[in-house]
Amino acid sequence: MLWLKLVVSPEPYQSTGQSKSGMEETRAMFIRKWLVLTVTAFALGCAGPGLAVEPHAHGDKAAAAKLRLNHGKKWQTDEALRRGMNEIRAAMTEALTPIHENVFTRAQYDALADRTQAQIDYVVSNCKLPEAADHQLHIVLEQIIDGVAGMKAATGRDQGAAKIVRALAQYGDHFDHAGWRPVAAPTHGK
């Protein structure tokens, strides 16, 4: 009942025996915890099914959501999605040769990760797909986000980049994006 007095009573410290400052600290702590829980619950609710499906989180690849076609056809796209994915593809294409040659620096990986994340943010904010297509897109974006995290990790940054390249290939296989080409493997010994 103390929490109810903290929220409802205009002078809660009078009925609990605590000092005014102690009670105000307790009230502030309660409000902060309540806000954190509310914001977290709201964020999870708004994220939809896409957030709940994280192949890396449970280690069970078979239970992870699988990309599928739309009754044998590729999913529709919109301009925002095509623009964002083209930008991610361009960034990965530019970086692939130095990554394969092991000359890509930590700072370059961080910049590539930030550039990729900016495009993910753009797509999420601006893309307006039907619900079923959006669910499929979230599977691709989660893989790209995992790749971004990998590129920011202390080790195995090239594996993060490889994960993004694989996700881009899956995007092209499952989404109707005119002119889309997968990221080509770099040619060695130019």
Side-chain angles (χ1 to χ4, degrees):
M1 287 310 232
L2 175 62
W3 68 270
L4 184 59
K5 289 180 184 177
L6 291 172
V7 174
V8 179
S9 175
E11 298 293 338
Y13 55 88
Q14 291 175 347
S15 60
T16 63
Q18 288 186 345
S19 70
K20 183 174 181 177
S21 64
M23 196 61 192
E24 287 172 351
E25 287 178 29
T26 303
R27 183 177 187 177
M29 182 177 67
F30 169 78
I31 291 171
R32 280 193 301 272
K33 286 183 179 182
W34 180 82
L35 283 173
V36 167
L37 289 173
T38 302
V39 169
T40 302
F42 180 74
L44 290 173
C46 288
L51 185 62
V53 184
E54 292 189 39
H56 65 87
H58 305 290
D60 184 6
K61 302 274 184 203
K66 300 232 186 289
L67 275 172
R68 59 182 170 76
L69 292 171
N70 183 11
H71 303 288
K73 297 180 182 177
K74 292 183 177 184
W75 296 98
Q76 77 180 60
T77 60
D78 67 7
E79 181 58 34
L81 174 58
R82 290 186 298 272
R83 177 179 172 233
M85 297 305 279
N86 278 336
E87 290 295 324
I88 294 170
R89 184 191 180 286
M92 296 308 298
T93 299
E94 290 171 15
L96 212 54
T97 296
I99 288 172
H100 275 272
E101 293 173 354
N102 291 321
V103 296
F104 213 60
T105 67
R106 179 181 207 104
Q108 288 173 309
Y109 274 113
D110 288 341
L112 180 59
D114 291 343
R115 181 177 172 188
T116 303
Q117 184 63 53
Q119 291 307 312
I120 292 167
D121 295 344
Y122 172 80
V123 167
V124 169
S125 295
N126 296 289
C127 181
K128 307 294 182 224
L129 296 180
E131 186 176 350
D134 189 58
H135 287 205
Q136 293 300 301
L137 176 61
H138 278 260
I139 296 169
V140 172
L141 293 180
E142 287 168 6
Q143 293 173 22
I144 295 172
I145 291 167
D146 284 350
V148 167
M151 289 192 303
K152 288 188 170 246
T155 60
R157 290 170 169 248
D158 59 328
Q159 294 306 306
K163 187 163 196 153
I164 294 171
V165 169
R166 286 190 300 273
L168 292 174
Q170 289 185 332
Y171 167 78
D173 291 342
H174 292 85
F175 287 85
D176 186 15
H177 184 135
W180 182 263
R181 293 171 295 133
V183 176
T187 57
H188 294 287
K190 286 187 176 180

